[in-house]
Amino acid sequence: MTNPFGIVSSEAILEGTATDAYFERTRTTLEHAGKDPHVVAEVTADQFPTDSFEVFTGVKDVAALFEGRDVDVDALPDGRLFDGGPVLRVEGPYLEFAELETSLLGFLSQPSGFATAALEARLAAPDATVLSFGARHVHPSITATVERAALLAGLDGFSHVAAGEILGREAGGTMPHALMFCFGEGNQADAWRAFDEAVPDETPRIALADTFWDEKSESLLAAETLGEDLDGVRIDTTGSRRGDFRHIIREVRWELDARGHEDVEIFCSGGLGPGNIRELRDVADGFGVGSHITEADSVDFSLDIVSIGGETISKRGKLSGVKEVYRTADGGHHVALADRDGPDDGESLLEPLIRDGEVVREFDLAVASERCLEDANAVGFGMR
């Protein structure tokens, strides 16, 4: 089978067949009528600033989508936060990019939602280790998208091996409950000892400590079994058995410390979101976050023509005219017509991405992540 999982191919995306049918019918109609106007189109979520910021990402894929097309594209930098106005602008003959709209919006909408949720988790515990554990909740074809969004938002790592190969980063993680089951109840020490003997030295020795017995008992047994080689324990107690999770973690910490295992860290996972993380961040050292990221709402971007043949135009409810967006000194977001002066203290945020079909921007994930975290601080993300 050449396509056993029914995944839309890269070729279909680049050729424009990964599109909504009405764009194909639009092309047929315009070609029949001999029309191909020069347009400017803008991608927006909200027309005016809302004071509710989200992370912009996916622009690297957009660059690949438009490369070689007879268009100019401007966009926010990867990792920039926004709360209204255009995040991307395309200018050129309409039929040069008509069918690309569906993929364009998909490349931006879902990754930006993932990154925004990941940023919420990151900022809930700025000093803790926070890892992305959500790959199992999405289609395997987009796992690299999830993990890249998590890294962009400042998370410390992720779990998916193939995504790591794409991103040039090594996946993390130690052991699942299945490993413990294979050794059986009463043989937890054998499982941890075998793991310690089998995996590379650079792999952290994090023992899963909640499978058969209570979390305190298994944590102490892990510490006794691996001694100074144990880096930490992971508590993944299912929600139906969790009770007061904070009290459980505090009890584990107390008992480990009481027996001289102060250096053993406690890592928490299992359905955690920013609220749980804030509640636990003073008693736990790290967190695995999954569904909070992968269940994030996509950002509701749309692409609208705002100028055609040099004349401003818009559909009802949208703002006509080519626009610029600015970051003001107080961390605000400002939208203005491109042919008018922006705010005196404003920094223009749209930057060239494509010129005459050529990509004119480089993409560095570390730089984008730094930008995201700095911008979150500048705009007071989560504080407004």
Side-chain angles (χ1 to χ4, degrees):
M1 293 184 291
T2 58
N3 193 1
F5 302 112
I7 298 172
V8 173
S9 68
S10 298
E11 290 77 15
I13 296 170
L14 292 170
E15 291 168 3
T17 58
T19 190
D20 295 305
Y22 67 2
F23 290 119
E24 290 186 337
R25 290 162 188 158
T26 295
R27 170 176 289 279
T28 299
T29 302
L30 289 176
E31 288 178 342
H32 171 77
K35 290 183 176 294
D36 187 13
H38 188 93
V39 306
V40 179
E42 295 175 342
V43 174
T44 58
D46 297 288
Q47 300 297 293
F48 296 106
T50 64
D51 241 13
S52 180
F53 283 87
E54 295 169 298
V55 180
F56 177 72
T57 191
V59 67
K60 182 175 184 289
D61 290 331
V62 171
L65 180 67
F66 280 97
E67 187 174 14
R69 300 271 176 168
D70 184 21
V71 296
D72 290 341
V73 181
D74 295 278
L76 298 184
D78 196 15
R80 182 70 76 193
L81 272 67
F82 70 95
D83 74 330
V87 298
L88 183 142
R89 181 172 61 223
V90 186
E91 180 174 0
Y94 179 62
L95 291 182
E96 192 68 18
F97 65 92
E99 295 99 333
L100 302 184
E101 178 174 334
T102 305
S103 294
L104 162 64
L105 297 177
F107 278 140
L108 299 177
S109 296
Q110 197 168 26
S112 294
F114 292 151
T116 302
L119 182 60
E120 292 170 345
R122 170 71 280 169
L123 297 183
D127 299 322
T129 298
V130 183
L131 305 177
S132 172
F133 279 3
R136 64 185 58 195
H137 301 306
V138 300
H139 195 287
S141 62
I142 66 165
T143 49
T145 298
V146 174
E147 308 299 33
R148 187 184 189 280
L151 293 178
L152 175 77
L155 267 62
D156 299 288
F158 55 85
S159 64
H160 199 272
V161 175
E165 293 173 354
I166 292 172
L167 297 171
R169 304 286 184 91
E170 185 175 356
T174 55
M175 63 187 70
H177 289 99
L179 176 65
M180 307 304 296
F181 295 153
C182 288
F183 281 83
E185 183 175 2
N187 301 312
Q188 293 97 313
D190 294 336
W192 298 322
R193 199 175 290 114
F195 178 88
D196 181 42
E197 294 170 354
V199 302
D201 292 342
E202 61 268 20
T203 301
R205 270 50 181 174
I206 308 292
L208 185 58
D210 65 357
T211 307
F212 297 110
W213 304 339
D214 69 78
E215 298 83 358
K216 176 184 69 174
S217 298
E218 290 202 355
S219 295
L220 292 177
L221 179 59
E224 293 167 4
T225 301
L226 297 185
E228 293 183 357
D229 291 335
L230 182 67
D231 295 301
V233 294
R234 178 164 71 95
I235 310 299
D236 189 58
T237 307
T238 187
S240 63
R241 306 282 295 187
R242 186 171 289 174
D244 186 340
F245 199 35
R246 177 179 169 83
H247 184 86
I248 292 172
I249 302 305
R250 292 181 70 188
E251 183 180 2
V252 171
R253 179 76 277 157
W254 179 279
E255 298 299 339
L256 286 170
D257 291 353
R259 289 160 177 79
H261 302 300
E262 294 91 348
D263 292 337
V264 173
E265 296 188 339
I266 300 176
F267 195 87
C268 301
S269 59
L272 301 179
N276 311 112
I277 294 172
R278 281 190 289 270
E279 182 183 3
L280 298 170
R281 64 188 180 187
D282 65 324
V283 294
D285 302 286
F287 304 93
V289 183
S291 57
H292 176 74
I293 297 172
T294 55
E295 292 178 2
D297 290 336
S298 297
V299 178
D300 191 14
F301 286 124
S302 63
L303 179 72
D304 296 285
I305 293 175
V306 296
S307 174
I308 188 164
E311 299 294 329
T312 60
I313 195 170
S314 70
K315 63 179 285 187
R316 295 176 64 188
K318 297 297 178 76
L319 304 178
S320 64
V322 181
K323 292 171 279 298
E324 288 284 350
V325 289
Y326 302 87
R327 172 80 72 247
T328 55
D330 62 356
H333 209 66
H334 184 82
V335 182
L337 287 169
D339 61 358
R340 311 288 173 84
D341 292 334
D344 292 338
D345 63 348
E347 172 194 2
S348 181
L349 299 182
L350 291 171
E351 298 178 0
L353 179 67
I354 301 286
R355 285 294 181 268
D356 297 323
E358 293 188 13
V359 179
V360 294
R361 190 186 297 182
E362 296 182 353
F363 300 95
D364 186 308
L365 181 55
V367 171
S369 178
E370 183 178 358
R371 177 186 297 118
C372 179
L373 295 173
E374 289 179 352
D375 221 22
N377 180 64
V379 306
F381 180 80
M383 304 295 291
R384 290 173 180 261

